[in-house]
Amino acid sequence: MKLLHVDSAITGANSVSRQLTQAIVAEWKAANPGATVDYLDLAVNAPGHLDGQVLSGGFKDEVSERLVSQFLAANVIVVGAPLYNFSIPGQLKAWIDRLAQAGRTFRYTEKGPEGLAQGKTVIVASSRGGFYSNSEMGRALEHQESYLQAVFGFFGITDVRFVRAEGVNMGPEAKAKAISDAQASIKPTLAANQAQAKQTA
């Protein structure tokens, strides 16, 4: 198994999403002792934002090729995604923009777009300062988890899981409880590709 561990929070050691991605990767490595891990820190090495030169060049630049190849080689992708201003960090969006390549992660057909990255598992470590999942207004304002679910689904990935710490800026007790609850929800199971292999064995 190949894991790709991606962090994007700009808050360093104070980051809740980084704490959660570390815990998720540790649990998956314990459950899969032979797993290898690639690490990508987008806050330290952020890819440049998509521009006309990259787009018109068909994503043939070194950065785009390296990132999409790394993504496609992974069986499990663990993504740290804090909620910033109702959405995801700009550097995480820049990474996704480099992955969204026609012919690599999706293609257009007569029946519409088709994802080409099937069989992967994505686990999102989601951290939020407030509460967004327990009210209609909160869900309307949230463009973090909903966006990631949509874009990875567009790539053909149907196994997208969320480990969520919500309300982390609502005081020390609320933060501690949010992190504890999120960590307790980390339960490695078969990855999507492992399940397929088991069915065909």
Side-chain angles (χ1 to χ4, degrees), residues 50-65 98 101-102 104:
L50 190 62
D51 59 24
Q53 184 174 357
V54 172
L55 189 63
S56 63
F59 295 87
K60 300 302 183 183
D61 61 292
E62 181 181 349
V63 172
S64 298
E65 178 59 33
R98 297 293 185 133
Q101 300 183 30
R104 302 298 296 279

Side-chain angles (χ1 to χ4, degrees), residues 100-181:
Q101 300 183 30
R104 302 298 296 279
T105 52
F106 73 95
R107 67 181 176 185
Y108 293 110
T109 73
E110 293 179 354
K111 297 180 180 179
E114 176 186 8
L116 299 177
Q118 303 98 330
K120 300 182 184 300
T121 293
V122 172
I123 307 164
V124 177
S126 167
S127 60
R128 300 167 167 185
F131 292 93
Y132 293 84
S133 64
N134 57 2
S135 71
E136 185 175 345
M137 178 178 291
R139 288 188 292 272
L141 290 171
E142 181 274 307
H143 304 286
Q144 168 215 24
E145 291 183 10
S146 56
Y147 169 72
L148 294 171
Q149 181 83 55
V151 75
F152 288 125
F154 186 79
F155 293 166
I157 302 172
T158 57
D159 186 8
V160 181
R161 312 173 191 182
F162 293 91
V163 174
R164 180 190 302 142
E166 196 167 41
V168 299
N169 289 340
M170 306 297 287
E173 291 185 4
K175 179 178 180 179
K177 184 178 187 307
I179 295 173
S180 176
D181 288 348

Side-chain angles (χ1 to χ4, degrees), residues 17-41:
S17 67
R18 286 175 181 269
Q19 184 175 336
L20 293 178
T21 59
Q22 289 175 5
I24 293 166
V25 170
E27 291 283 353
W28 275 80
K29 285 184 67 177
N32 300 273
T36 60
V37 180
D38 278 346
Y39 181 61
L40 185 60
D41 191 334

